[in-house]
């Protein structure tokens, strides 16, 4: 009984945040999207806003609760957070796999428009937070919308195809693949690239694929629409606007070549860039021990969610916002 009570208290303490959350529904081109506006719990008067742009996959508004520690860190700097479930997820209408990355940028701009009508939000302090695949969306929105005054980019890539090849080789290395296995995987990847370049149908892809787990039809369509994505031009425009950018990278990222990303951001953004790299951090900036163990991830995420991420990750985002003009 005592142990059970301690467990309940730990769960409550670990999941109590200095936030005031409001469920919202926002009409977009994809349909009505359900989301959360997370305000600083003790906010008085208008606050800044961070609009969240998700990475790949069927992400719901809170990312299964893992966004809340981030929202709390941003709230400590005087900022609310706005996040919606992707189309077809968490009660939102539509299908996120039918979107292009440009569609996602338009969606983010719709969220900005919605926020500009909210009296709790200071229109002079609106920015973007994006992770992974969101890194292709952030520069387009920030370059297009004068309301965007800062960007936080977590584990973004520059070029879709380059990122895919880096991820493939990194996973093969981590698995200790032999030379024959590596060459077979590279050949399969090259064959898929050739199909994408000529706009092949799903049937053609299935007929040609030797993958043990081929993409389904919706995923193939999503990749066909987005495989040419490259953030270089939009990042250059972002640099010309002089918008402050926080780039957050994990040293143990297998998805993204963090050295390549840092070089590109540094070249294109110059002095308005702040880069923070974390040893022992994977693509999500979770501790590697958490990301590599499902059981440990569940335990830490349930009882001590702020400790899912590497030390300093939450502080870096809070401090970046606190240091803005």
């Amino acid at each position: 009984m005592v142990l059970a009570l301690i467990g309940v208290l730990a769960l409550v303490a670990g999941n109590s945040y200095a936030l005031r959350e409001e469920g919202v529904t926002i009409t977009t081109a994809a349909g009505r999207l359900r989301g959360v506006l997370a305000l600083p719990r003790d906010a008085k008067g208008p606050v800044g806003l961070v609009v969240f742009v998700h990475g790949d996959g069927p992400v719901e508004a809170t990312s299964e609760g893992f966004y809340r520690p981030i929202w709390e860190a941003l709230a400590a700097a005087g900022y609310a957070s706005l996040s919606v479930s992707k189309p077809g997820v968490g009660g939102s209408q539509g299908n996120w796999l039918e979107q292009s990355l440009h569609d996602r940028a338009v969606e983010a701009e719709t969220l900005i428009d919605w926020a500009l009508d909210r009296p709790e939000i200071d229109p002079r302090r609106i920015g973007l937070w994006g992770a992974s695949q969101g890194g292709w969306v952030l520069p387009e929105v920030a370059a297009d919308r004068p309301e965007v005054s800062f960007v936080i980019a977590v584990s973004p890539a520059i070029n879709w195809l380059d990122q895919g090849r880096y991820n493939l080789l990194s996973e093969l290395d981590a698995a200790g693949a032999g030379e024959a296995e590596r060459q077979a995987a590279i050949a399969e990847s090259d064959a898929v690239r050739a199909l994408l370049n000529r706009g092949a149908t799903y049937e053609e892809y299935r007929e040609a694929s030797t993958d043990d787990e081929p993409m389904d039809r919706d995923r193939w369509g999503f990749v066909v629409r987005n495989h040419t994505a490259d953030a270089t031009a939009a990042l250059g425009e972002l640099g010309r606007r002089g918008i402050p950018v926080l780039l957050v990278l994990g040293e143990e990222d297998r998805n993204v070549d963090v050295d390549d990303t840092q070089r590109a951001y540094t070249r294109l953004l110059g002095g308005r860039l702040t880069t923070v790299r974390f040893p022992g951090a994977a693509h999500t900036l979770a501790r590697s021990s958490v990301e590599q163990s499902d059981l440990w991830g569940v335990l830490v995420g349930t009882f001590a969610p702020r400790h899912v991420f590497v030390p300093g990750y939450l502080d870096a985002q809070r401090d970046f916002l606190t240091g803005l003009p």
Side-chain angles (χ1 to χ4, degrees):
M1 176 67 72
V2 173
L3 289 177
L5 179 59
I6 292 173
V8 171
L9 292 173
L11 180 61
V12 171
N15 293 277
S16 177
Y17 297 95
L19 299 168
R20 177 163 46 89
E21 295 186 21
E22 175 187 340
V24 300
T25 300
I26 301 174
T27 301
T28 71
R32 291 190 301 277
L33 305 185
R34 293 186 178 180
V36 176
L37 176 65
L39 294 150
R41 186 169 57 198
D42 300 322
K44 296 178 176 61
V47 296
L49 178 70
V50 182
V51 176
F52 273 59
V53 179
H54 309 306
D56 195 16
V59 186
E60 64 89 35
T62 73
S63 190
E64 307 302 331
F66 288 105
Y67 280 162
R68 287 193 171 101
I70 304 173
W71 294 349
E72 184 179 56
L74 306 182
Y79 285 79
S81 297
L82 175 62
S83 178
V84 296
S85 298
K86 282 189 175 182
V89 181
S92 291
Q93 295 179 329
N95 181 354
W96 67 273
L97 284 168
E98 294 178 355
Q99 292 185 306
S100 67
L101 293 173
H102 174 69
D103 293 334
R104 296 194 60 200
V106 171
E107 179 180 287
E109 294 193 32
T110 301
L111 302 187
I112 293 172
D113 290 335
W114 178 89
L116 290 172
D117 289 331
R118 297 284 300 211
E120 313 98 314
I121 303 304
D122 181 351
R124 301 166 300 174
R125 294 191 294 146
I126 293 178
L128 304 172
W129 182 101
S132 190
Q133 193 181 93
W136 286 298
V137 180
L138 300 176
E140 179 178 348
V141 179
D144 188 53
R145 293 299 295 254
E147 297 91 350
V148 174
S149 59
F150 62 88
V151 169
I152 300 173
V154 180
S155 305
I158 304 301
N159 179 278
W160 179 293
L161 292 177
D162 290 347
Q163 180 267 339
R165 179 55 55 90
Y166 178 84
N167 175 233
L168 172 66
L169 297 178
S170 294
E171 295 295 349
L172 289 169
D173 288 343
E179 185 60 25
E181 185 179 354
R182 284 175 61 87
Q183 292 305 316
I186 291 170
E188 169 73 11
S189 175
D190 288 344
V192 170
R193 287 187 180 207
L195 292 170
L196 290 171
N197 287 337
R198 66 181 180 83
T201 65
Y202 180 66
E203 287 71 24
E204 290 174 305
Y205 159 69
R206 283 304 305 269
E207 183 177 352
S209 177
T210 60
D211 197 327
D212 292 337
E213 297 181 359
M215 290 179 264
D216 63 22
R217 185 179 297 274
D218 282 353
R219 183 68 186 184
W220 174 255
F222 182 78
V223 174
V224 168
R225 279 188 291 277
N226 295 301
H227 75 281
T228 59
D230 188 291
T232 305
L235 283 170
E237 181 59 31
L238 196 57
R240 285 186 285 275
R241 280 198 58 198
I243 296 174
V245 175
L246 174 64
L247 175 64
V248 184
L249 302 170
E251 297 280 5
E252 297 184 19
D253 193 332
R254 293 182 193 168
N255 294 68
V256 168
D257 184 339
V258 295
D259 292 329
D260 179 67
T261 290
Q262 183 172 353
R263 282 192 298 268
Y265 269 66
T266 300
R267 174 172 57 87
L268 296 165
L269 299 178
R272 300 301 282 167
L273 175 68
T274 301
T275 302
V276 185
R277 293 175 62 141
F278 291 98
H283 185 60
T284 63
L285 273 295
R287 301 168 191 256
S288 294
S289 59
V290 171
E291 185 155 300
Q292 293 168 9
S293 169
D294 291 340
L295 175 60
W296 189 239
V298 169
L299 290 173
V300 176
T302 300
F303 293 101
R306 295 174 185 83
H307 296 283
V308 166
F309 302 107
V310 291
Y313 171 63
L314 300 176
D315 294 340
Q317 296 173 80
R318 180 201 63 209
D319 294 345
F320 171 72
L321 293 183
T322 302
L324 294 176

